[in-house]
Amino acid sequence: MLHFRFSTVLKELSEATLKRPLPGYSQRSWLPTRHCCLGAASLDARARCAPLRRLHAAAHRPAPFAAPRRSYCAKTEGAVALDEQLKKDGASAEAASDKLSVALPSQEWSLKLTRRRNAGILPSLEDLLFYTVAEGQETIPAHKFLTALKATGLRTGDPRLKECMDTLKETLKNTSDGVTLDRHLFKKCVQSNIVLLTQAFRKKFVIPDFQSFTSHIDELYENAKKLTGGQVADYIPQLAKFSPDLWAVSLCTVDGQRHTVGDTKIPFCLQSCVKPLKYAVAVHDHGTEYVHSFIGKEPSGLRFNKLFLNEEDKPHNPMVNAGAIVCTSLIKQGASTAERFDYVMNFLKIMAGKEYVGFSNATFQSERESGDRNFAIGYYLKEKKCFPEGTDMTSVLDFYFQLCSIEVTCESASVMAATLANGGICPITGERVLSPEAVRNTLSLMHSCGMYDFSGQFAFHDLVEFFNFHNYDNLRHFTKKHDPRREGGDQRVKSVINLLFAAYTGDVSALRR
């Protein structure tokens, strides 16, 4: 298998361009076929080109799986034609290395490669995964595979693994004991999602040693569970009914690794946590300039529900009540309150990867009945002409109370947070939800304004002491904390390699992502 270690060399190769198209390829489709390989310009050029010598040496290192070595590099018809053209032009070996290109293999070579693979000379990725999980055995109990999968951080209910899990269920129905898979049946089950599974078992996710990481999380959870100070929110009567004994932690990484502990499936209302989300929706729909023509972007230094505007008679930022109310008025202007609410609900459900997002009518009614301060802020904003022209302030406040009453669980909320951390792409579905502009602005304001008048204190002390997850823990020579993440690399090159693997193995779901 190709190693991800030599990403620098692959970057050099990906940046090399041909100064003329390959002969005979001008009319061909560049859709990926089942087998893709890297085509070298010429053997002589490869021998003289330093980056290619390093690539050649790296390709002969021992593979990460205990299986026979296979080659992914072959000389294609396009590469041969390029050799001949270079000779005609009298180009030097150095020029040849600059003209390296990734070419689609010929039909004849694809057929040969398929025959060699079918003959067992080239073990497939599915074979390598089987050997890894089976640990020398000829069969694998299904529960052993699922346990090993969970250890990587992936869930069996992960939408990206739907094809694999569906096939596994159907396959087990037809086995003699309903439990055990031989190599052939195992390959049948995993082949539709082999790229994601290979990444997981080769520890290529953002948290490679996920079990060690979650053991620290569990320890933090148990330590915090002993704390009994404080009280539940009572500024809305319905919220005061919640039990103070409920305690849960749920996490989701940018690669979709999941861990939960405690009361993670009990719904609760987002309340002010919906403010950054609806701001992200507003910027996604209208852009930064339009949204901030109505709202500022500086911390207020005041309590969240103060009747106070900045020097331009605008709310200080979208994270205090005044700014959040104005932000609410910008979403789906002209539509009915019901249509606007459904729009935001659908948005949040996609952010949560279709996991639980609900609504508490009791909280909505309680908040509307006790929302005198927010009504006062609304009328103050109306007096200062802070809303878009033609806005019905009372309808906006109803919409505002509705959004505060949207319910999530710890688990679905963790996916929403991971979508923001992943640049607006939901990690468990691969679906683009928010624009990069909306995510950048939202994260910036969450850091500077999101904790109201305690934003500076929160940013300075942070909540992270053991792991280096603070925004500035990545500064050079700042190595006092533990880093559970993989080392950085050229993500674009890794994405290209994943695409090649997906094309080679026929993993359609990975190609879609």
Side-chain angles (χ1 to χ4, degrees), residues 211-242:
Q211 285 185 304
S212 174
F213 175 67
T214 55
S215 67
H216 290 297
I217 299 299
D218 291 344
E219 183 179 350
L220 293 171
Y221 170 84
E222 292 299 334
N223 291 338
K225 192 175 183 179
K226 301 171 185 176
L227 303 177
T228 57
Q231 62 184 29
V232 296
D234 58 2
Y235 58 90
I236 297 171
Q238 187 66 23
L239 298 181
K241 298 180 180 180
F242 269 76

Side-chain angles (χ1 to χ4, degrees), residues 268-274 277 348 403-404 406-408 416:
F268 60 89
C269 288
L270 281 171
Q271 286 297 305
S272 284
C273 291
V274 81
L277 302 180
L348 298 187
L403 296 184
C404 289
I406 290 177
E407 285 186 334
V408 295
M416 290 180 177

